[in-house]
Amino acid sequence: MERKRLLCRKFDIRHALVVFCLLAIPHGVVSREYRCRMLQTAATKLNMEQQIDNAFAGTTSTITLASGQAVAVRIGADGEVEHIGLPLFSDMMRQQKPSPIYDCIEYAALDRSLIHSENDLLLQKILLFNGTWQTVCSIQPTDECSISLRDNKAWQVIWRRDGSEIINMAVPVDYELLSLSSRRELEQHFVRNMANHPDNVKSDFFLSSAPQLANATIHVEMLLSNYSQQTTDISVRQWVAYCESQGCTSYYINDDTEDAVARGYLHMRNEVVGYHHLLEFSCPVEELNSAQPKLRGKAHLFIPNINGEGMYGSEDNIKANKKLIR
C-alpha cells in the first residue's frame, strides 16, 4: 500500500511539472526559422528572438531595441524570418521600384552599426564613394533616393538631403551579397521550396516556343556545390515557374539530335542578382514527341553570371538564332 502511495505521489509530481511547463509557454508563440545564418546571428546578438517569435507571419514589424534603435523585421507567410535591418527605405519605394538591394543595404547598415559581425569580407564589397556608414545609419525613409543598375555589374544608390548628395554607394551584382547567403544555403532553400511551388508559368516562351516541354516531367539530378547530389521528379513547368518566381528569365536551347536521342538545355538567368541555373536534359526523340514526355536531366544551381553578350550574343543575334528561344 505504501509503495502504491509513493508511485501515485511520483505521478502527481510529474503531472504537475508537465502542466507547469505547458503553462509557462506563452500562448501562440512559435520558434521562428531564419532564411539564412546571418539573420539568425543578428537576432541572437541583438536579443530580439523572443520579440520576433511573437510577431505575426506575413507582416513587416518595427522592433525597438533597449537602446531605442528601431529595427525592421519581415516574416514570410510561411513563418520564416526573411529580413532584419535598419528601416532605410519606405514601403512605397519598395513597391514602386522593386530591387534586390533593399534588404542587403538595410542589413549591412544594421551590421555595421550594432552587430559588428565577422561578415567583413562579404559586406566590404559594398563601396561608399561619398559618405560613411554612420551617415547611412542616419538615413530616413523620407530622404530622396535614386537607384540605377550599371551595365548589369553594380547598383548605384545615391541619397540626397536638401538637394545635396550625402551618400553615393555601389552594390555589386553578387548573389551571395544580395541574398546575404552562401551558395550552399541558397541551394538548400531552392531544393526545399521548388517542389511545393505551383506550376503557373508566366512567360510566353515556354508555352509557345517549347510546346514539347509543356507537359513533360523530368527526373533531375541536382549537382550541388558541396559535391553532393540530390534527385527529384518534377514537372518542367514547375521548374520554370519556380525559377521565374525568383526573378529568372527563361532560355531554351534545343541541342542537336544524335542516335535518336533529343538533347536540350533550360537556362534560367537572373541578371539583377547575378546567377543562373542550367538544366540539361535528354530523352528518346519518340518520347519527346509523346503527349507527356518523361525526361532525365542534370542541374547546376547558382552559377555566377558571366557577360551575357558573350554567352548569347547581341539581342539581334538572339532573335535570329533559331536554336535559342527566349
Side-chain angles (χ1 to χ4, degrees):
M1 189 70 177
E2 183 65 23
R3 177 181 172 84
K4 186 176 181 180
R5 281 198 297 269
L6 287 173
L7 289 173
C8 290
R9 186 179 179 186
K10 288 181 180 178
F11 175 79
D12 290 341
I13 291 173
R14 290 174 181 171
H15 180 71
L17 286 172
V18 170
V19 172
F20 175 78
C21 291
L22 290 174
L23 292 175
I25 300 175
H27 179 69
V29 173
V30 295
S31 181
R32 298 288 182 198
E33 294 289 334
Y34 290 77
R35 182 179 59 79
C36 61
R37 179 183 56 83
M38 286 190 196
L39 298 184
Q40 188 161 20
T41 299
T44 301
K45 287 194 172 185
L46 297 176
N47 196 27
M48 296 172 57
E49 290 171 305
Q50 184 173 348
Q51 292 166 289
I52 290 175
D53 289 346
N54 287 329
F56 291 103
T59 62
T60 299
S61 306
T62 300
I63 294 176
T64 303
L65 304 180
S67 63
Q69 176 66 60
V71 178
V73 176
R74 187 177 70 250
I75 300 175
D78 59 356
E80 183 180 71
V81 181
E82 297 177 342
H83 171 56
I84 300 175
L86 297 187
L88 304 179
F89 302 97
S90 67
D91 292 339
M92 181 178 295
M93 184 170 186
R94 282 175 171 268
Q95 292 169 7
Q96 293 181 350
K97 300 178 180 178
S99 173
I101 67 170
Y102 296 133
D103 288 357
C104 172
I105 295 175
E106 289 189 345
Y107 170 84
L110 177 67
D111 188 292
R112 301 296 81 176
S113 62
L114 295 177
I115 304 174
H116 307 294
S117 71
E118 69 282 4
N119 300 316
D120 279 343
L121 287 178
L122 186 66
L123 298 181
Q124 282 178 3
K125 293 180 179 180
I126 301 176
L127 302 179
L128 287 170
F129 300 115
N130 184 19
T132 65
W133 278 110
Q134 184 177 2
T135 310
V136 173
C137 294
S138 71
I139 290 292
Q140 299 298 315
T142 54
D143 287 330
E144 180 187 351
C145 179
S146 62
I147 298 175
S148 57
L149 180 60
R150 302 289 183 170
D151 299 324
N152 287 330
K153 293 180 179 179
W155 294 86
Q156 184 177 27
V157 188
I158 297 176
W159 277 278
R160 293 181 175 85
R161 188 176 292 161
D162 298 327
S164 299
E165 179 182 294
I166 56 174
I167 294 290
N168 190 330
M169 173 189 293
V171 183
V173 176
D174 179 317
Y175 69 87
E176 289 186 320
L177 172 63
L178 294 173
S179 65
L180 303 172
S181 303
S182 67
R183 182 174 178 178
R184 179 60 180 150
E185 283 180 309
L186 290 168
E187 288 173 340
Q188 290 173 329
H189 194 273
F190 183 98
V191 171
R192 183 172 65 249
N193 292 287
M194 175 190 60
N196 299 319
H197 193 81
D199 61 354
N200 53 341
V201 175
K202 295 180 180 178
S203 69
D204 293 333
F205 111 91
F206 184 73
L207 300 177
S208 62
S209 301
Q212 68 272 38
L213 300 181
N215 297 314
T217 59
I218 185 167
H219 178 78
V220 59
E221 179 182 2
M222 288 175 280
L223 308 176
L224 306 180
S225 58
N226 64 345
Y227 303 104
S228 67
Q229 301 174 2
Q230 186 157 343
T231 59
T232 187
D233 292 286
I234 191 171
S235 73
V236 177
R237 292 174 68 106
Q238 198 168 9
W239 174 279
V240 173
Y242 180 68
C243 292
E244 287 181 345
S245 75
Q246 304 302 299
C248 292
T249 298
S250 308
Y251 295 85
Y252 169 54
I253 304 174
N254 181 22
D255 205 353
D256 292 332
T257 299
E258 294 181 4
D259 302 324
V261 175
R263 296 177 177 85
Y265 301 87
L266 275 172
H267 202 152
M268 316 303 297
R269 186 175 175 87
N270 193 319
E271 294 284 359
V272 297
V273 181
Y275 67 83
H276 61 274
H277 308 306
L278 184 63
L279 175 62
E280 176 185 4
F281 67 87
S282 64
C283 72
V285 173
E286 60 183 20
E287 176 69 23
L288 186 63
N289 294 327
S290 66
Q292 295 180 318
K294 291 180 170 56
L295 316 178
R296 297 186 67 86
K298 293 183 179 181
H300 299 268
L301 306 178
F302 296 101
I303 307 167
N305 280 350
I306 63 174
N307 181 273
E309 186 169 318
M311 178 174 292
Y312 296 113
S314 68
E315 189 69 23
D316 290 338
N317 288 338
I318 288 175
K319 293 176 180 179
N321 186 348
K322 295 181 179 179
K323 282 191 176 184
L324 181 62
I325 305 171
R326 184 178 181 180

